[in-house]
Each structure stands twice: as C-alpha cells, then as structure tokens.
C-alpha cells in the first residue's frame, strides 16, 4: 500500500482543490508549513473519507465555496477547511477559525446525510459499530474497511 507524504494528494482531491480554491485553500496554499505543528490536517493528509461520501462532499463544497466567496476578501482565509474526516461514522468538517450560520447548516446537513450513506459506495447505509469502530455501510460492504480495495 502506498502511504502518501504530507501534501501528496490523490487526483480526485487535486480536482476538488482546483474546483473549490477558497474552501480547500489549505491544500493548494497551506497556512502553515507542512512539517510544522500548526499545519492543518487537510494540508497534510488531504480529505480523509471514502469514495461513497464524495457526492455529499461535493454538495457541501458547492455551498461552502459560495458562502466563503460572499465574505469580504480579507476574511476569507478564516473560513477555509482545516480538516475533513470520518469521525464516529459521520462526515466531520472543521473550518479554520470562523463560521457563518449558513456554513454551519451546510456542514450539519452533510454530516446528517453521511449517517445514512454507505461510506464505501454511496448506497443507503446503516450506522453501526463494527470491529470496535462506528461506520455507515450498506449490506454489500458490511465488512469493508478503508484499507480494502473497492470492487
């Protein structure tokens, strides 16, 4: 298995960072050097979720990009995404330091959608504890882990 270095992203992540330059600014122009303690998780490791949640993520990024663009130019960096990951079976997104009610609502809605969407394939799924970890899977991917290839 190839282990990416800090700042080394998959092609789909590069495509998203190009499409959403404000929301995913950490990936193209990190606010702190990658080797430093201050480097955000998004800058270092990219987007930490499986393929099934990408449509949810794209809808969220559409909304966040528009909301960030509506902010004064000098404050936009406060709204960049610091981390995107799966946590306790839910898509979790952290902004750098600020949020508006619209951004919070978009993040909450994406999190709620992830709770019923298979993280592996995007089909309807069920949140359950599996192998000591919470995850959302459909019946076809019940035993799938992020280290397994998708067939």
């Amino acid at each position: 298995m190839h282990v990416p270095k800090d700042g080394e992203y998959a092609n789909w992540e590069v495509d998203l960072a190009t499409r959403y330059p404000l929301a995913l600014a950490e990936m193209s122009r990190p606010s702190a050097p990658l080797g430093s303690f201050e480097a955000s998780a998004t800058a270092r490791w990219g987007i930490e979720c499986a393929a099934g949640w990408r449509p949810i993520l794209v809808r969220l990024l559409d909304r966040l990009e528009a909301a960030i663009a509506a902010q004064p130019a000098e404050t936009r960096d406060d709204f960049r995404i610091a981390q995107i990951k799966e946590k306790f079976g839910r898509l979790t997104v952290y902004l750098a330091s600020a949020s508006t009610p619209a951004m919070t609502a978009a993040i909450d809605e994406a999190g709620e959608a992830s709770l019923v969407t298979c993280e592996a394939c995007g089909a309807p799924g069920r949140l359950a504890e599996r192998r000591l970890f919470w995850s959302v899977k459909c019946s076809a991917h019940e035993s799938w882990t992020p280290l397994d290839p998708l067939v």
Side-chain angles (χ1 to χ4, degrees):
M1 179 174 92
H2 170 71
V3 177
K5 297 179 180 127
D6 286 358
E8 183 179 282
Y9 311 122
N11 288 339
W12 68 271
E13 291 173 304
V14 172
D15 291 343
L16 287 179
T18 302
R19 185 173 168 187
Y20 303 103
L22 299 174
L24 294 174
E26 282 296 325
M27 294 175 77
S28 56
R29 40 185 186 81
S31 57
L34 289 179
S36 72
F37 179 74
E38 294 83 18
S40 78
T42 299
R44 294 187 75 159
W45 303 300
I47 299 169
E48 302 171 79
C49 69
W53 288 352
R54 288 184 200 163
I56 296 169
L57 187 58
V58 167
R59 288 191 302 272
L60 171 61
L61 290 170
D62 282 338
R63 292 175 68 183
L64 289 179
E65 189 74 11
I68 295 168
Q71 303 305 310
E74 64 274 6
T75 65
R76 289 181 184 157
D77 278 349
D78 294 340
F79 301 99
R80 64 174 54 200
I81 293 173
Q83 187 172 25
I84 300 171
K85 68 179 185 174
E86 177 276 328
K87 184 174 182 180
F88 300 117
R90 179 186 178 104
L91 178 65
T92 306
V93 177
Y94 300 102
L95 299 181
S97 62
S99 182
T100 66
M103 292 175 194
T104 300
I107 291 168
D108 289 347
E109 288 171 25
E112 290 297 314
S114 72
L115 290 173
V116 295
T117 305
C118 177
E119 65 179 316
C121 70
R126 182 179 63 85
L127 176 66
E129 185 179 358
R130 297 168 179 89
R131 298 182 192 151
L132 303 176
F133 294 97
W134 287 92
S135 60
V136 181
K137 308 275 178 52
C138 66
S139 58
H141 292 104
E142 190 65 36
S143 62
W144 179 86
T145 73
L147 299 176
D148 296 334
L150 284 171
V151 181

